[in-house]
Structure formats: C-alpha cells, structure tokens
Amino acid sequence: MRLSAYFLPTMKETPSEAQIMSHRLMLRAGMIRQSSAGIYSWLPLGLKVLERIKTIVREEQNRAGAQELLMPTIQSADLWQESGRYDDYGKEMLRITDRHDRNMLFGPTNEELITDIFRQAVRSYKNLPLNLYHIQWKFRDEIRPRFGVMRGREFLMKDAYSFDKDENAARISYNKMFAAYLRTFRRMGLKAIPMRADTGPIGGNLSHEFIILAETGESEVFCHQDYLEKDVAMDPIEDPEALQAYVDAWTCLYAATEDMHDASQYDASVPKESQINARGIEVGHVFYFGTKYSEAMNAKVSLKEGGEAAVHMGSYGIGVSRLVGAVIEACHDDNGIIWPESVAPFDFGLIKLKAGDANLDTACDDLYCKLTSLGWDVLYDDRDDRPGAKFATMDLIGLPWQIILGPKGLAAGKIELKRRVTGEREEISIEDLLNRFGEKQGGA
Ligand code: ATP
Ligand code: MG
C-alpha cells in the first residue's frame, strides 16, 4: 500500500478525551474514530489489526475442534424470556421494538440463541461432543464506557458454546478451550494468566478469566510469579488425561481476581516473596455452567444407558476488539505502538527519504514490488514530506520493520533497516535484505 493513497488520518496532538495509552495511540495512529459513546468506526489500519487478531482466534478455535457459524446481532426477546434472563439482564441490554411491536434486542451474548439452534437439531448423545462458535458484534449498554475499545458498548467477541452428555465430558471440552486460549494469546505475543473466577450462583469451580498484566487494567489480580515463566503447549493435546494434567499444572498455583479474592486463602497458599499483586485486563473468559440453560430451555439428548438428560454446556468468550487495545497496552513506548509481528497491520514500512529523485523513485518502487511479490505486506511512504515526519509516523503506527532508503544510501548500495521493538539499525544491501526475509511463510 502506498501511503500517499492510504486513508491514515494520524494525529500529532494527544486527544484530551483519551485517558489510557492504547486509546490515545489508537486515535493518534488513525485506527479508530468514536461515533458515539463506546461505539467506534474501525478505519483501515485498525481494521487490519482486528482482522489479524480474528484470524488467530479462529485458527486456534478450529484447531481445538470448534466449528464456526454466524448468529445474528439482533435477537428475539422470546428466547430470553424462556431462559429467564430477559428481566434479569437489566439496563445493559439494548431493547428494540420492531414495526409489529415485537420485542427484539441487540445480543449481549448468545447462550439462548445457540441453545435454541442446538435443541432443534440434536437429540442424541451420539452427536456429542459439539462446540460451536462465532465472531460477532455484541452490544452492552455499559454504564461507563471508557478506555476506547477496551470497554465499549459495541464490541467484537468470539463466543463458543460446548455441548456434552455429562460433566466429565464437559470438563474435557472446557480443558480444550483452556489450552486453546493459552495458545491464542501467546501467538499474539501476550502473556495471559488464567485466573480462577467467580462462578456466581451456579457454583462449581470451573471458570477462569484470562488476564493480561497491565497497569491500566481494570481487574486487580493476585498470583504466583511462576505464572509469568510458564510454558504454553503450542499444539493441541489430544489425550484427555494428558490434557487434564496440563490444565492442572496451569491452575495449581493460586491466582484470582479481586472480586473473589479471599486474602487469607491467598496468603496461606503463596509465599510472600513469590506473590504478584498487579492489575490486568480481562481478555477472555471460560465457563462451565452445566444445565442452566438446557434445563430452562428443554435442550435434552437421549443417553446411551437409556432415558434422556439436559445437555451440559460451557461458554467461552474472547474480547476480540478489546484485544487490540490490550496488545497496545502491553506493547508500546513513548513514540508509539510496537506491534508483535503476528498481529501487525503491515510487515514493513518502506520510507523513501526524498521526493523528486528519479533514481530513488525507481529503487523504492522496485523494492516495494519485490517485497510485495514475496508475500510481504508493505506500507510504502512515498509522500513528499520531511524525513522527521515520516519517521515519527512509522514509529507511531508501530510496524515491526522499517526500511529507510535515501539518495546517499542508494549511491552506496545500502538501505537502513530498523527494528521497531529494539530500535536497532543496520545497513545492508537490497539483495541481502531480500535474501534474509525471503518469501513470507504462511503469507498472502
Ligand atoms: P468485564 O468483567 O470486563 O465487564 P464480562 O465478564 O462482562 O467482562 P464476558 O461476558 O465474560 O465479559 O465476555 C467475554 C469477553 O468479552 C471478556 O473477557 C472481555 O474480553 C470482552 N468484553 C466484555 N465486555 C466488553 C466491553 N464492554 N468492551 C469490550 N470487550 C468486552
Ligand atoms: Mg467475565
């Protein structure tokens, strides 16, 4: 993409309405614009990151055996009346009436709708286990939408729903998602800590929130420092016992969020010198809730041993749009964003230092074409602007690699290659650059 033609409305000034770094940087880097409180438009640069995050989420859901479908944003109130949540949900639910005076709503989550789809189609344990997910916009009329996409009113969520014949089988489904979540966040360059979460009135202990440590996080977290060093298994573990052992190893250290924190229990289980009390951002939530919805909505399956029973369910959310902000909170410096390569909107920024130099034009155009044909996504700053402004823009939008080419370098046959994360610079020939990066693996 040539920057001269790209819609990238960057801002020099720090927007006064933004309180935290990720919100400021997303506005300044031209990634989002607010349309009304907690509701945003995603501009081209922001949308690219959102799509890359979606792709990682989708790939890991599929690898864990979940199947993608797509449910609508607008739902009928009837199903929510069946489950009893239509009245319970309160003001966070955006309620709508259609022209026939039917009660509709903009979905804040999808347990009811997926249970309805399930009960219409599945009658036997033979069709289980089943895990269905979608990546869809949600609406929750949050009292205090803030921090940009971190706590929006409209936000993008991946929500998966598992169906099993009994609690033991449901635990396997839960563990698969648990392991998939660790892989998902690790691929985005994040360290996510699974925190035991409150299961509320339903009880049980099968609920974890996945938290990214960040000073501006809204959750207070307590955990053992060993969490920060633990290894993530990057391939799915198929054997149920091995999977259980892996999940146990991840959850044996005491970790909890503020809402369920019992100080005495915590102090007893973790030595003082190993304790971390920090703040974090919730990026995912896995939850086993048994037969809560299947009982209320009569979603039953026939059993092998005869008779029928309400299906056991779990739900598994990831805050896809919140993750864009969370990655920035975890990866930035004073000059701007520092994208991990796996979610960066472009792989390279190519800076042409001077306009109106025919040789330089040819060399830059040529390099741009070569990198592009090798599958790399390149943002080519071909504008007629001061070098200082170009450097500042590139640092702000945080692409992993910057290639800087000017008349002097060209005469010496060298480009300058800057790595955004370390700031390291090196001079190498164009040929060496192309050999070093070669074809993009798994690229376009
Ligand atoms: P929170 O405690 O932050 O309000 P929640 O417990 O209500 O979140 P869930 O119902 O578990 O959220 O939703 C799954 C995921 O969706 C959360 O882990 C979070 O990453 C994301 N999410 C929830 N609410 C919002 C929001 N208002 N804006 C952006 N992302 C959100
Ligand atoms: Mg939650």
Side-chain angles (χ1 to χ4, degrees), residues 341-373:
E341 291 186 8
S342 59
V343 301
F346 294 90
D347 303 305
F348 290 96
L350 170 60
I351 299 178
K352 183 168 71 178
L353 279 182
K354 194 172 174 233
D357 177 324
N359 286 339
L360 188 62
D361 287 349
T362 312
C364 287
D365 289 2
D366 188 53
L367 179 55
Y368 172 63
C369 288
K370 285 195 171 120
L371 282 168
T372 306
S373 61

Side-chain angles (χ1 to χ4, degrees), residues 196 222 254-256 260-271 275:
R196 237 169 65 190
F222 304 89
Y254 188 88
M260 68 163 305
H261 174 53
D262 171 344
S264 60
Q265 192 188 354
Y266 175 70
D267 291 343
S269 56
V270 182
Q275 283 179 18

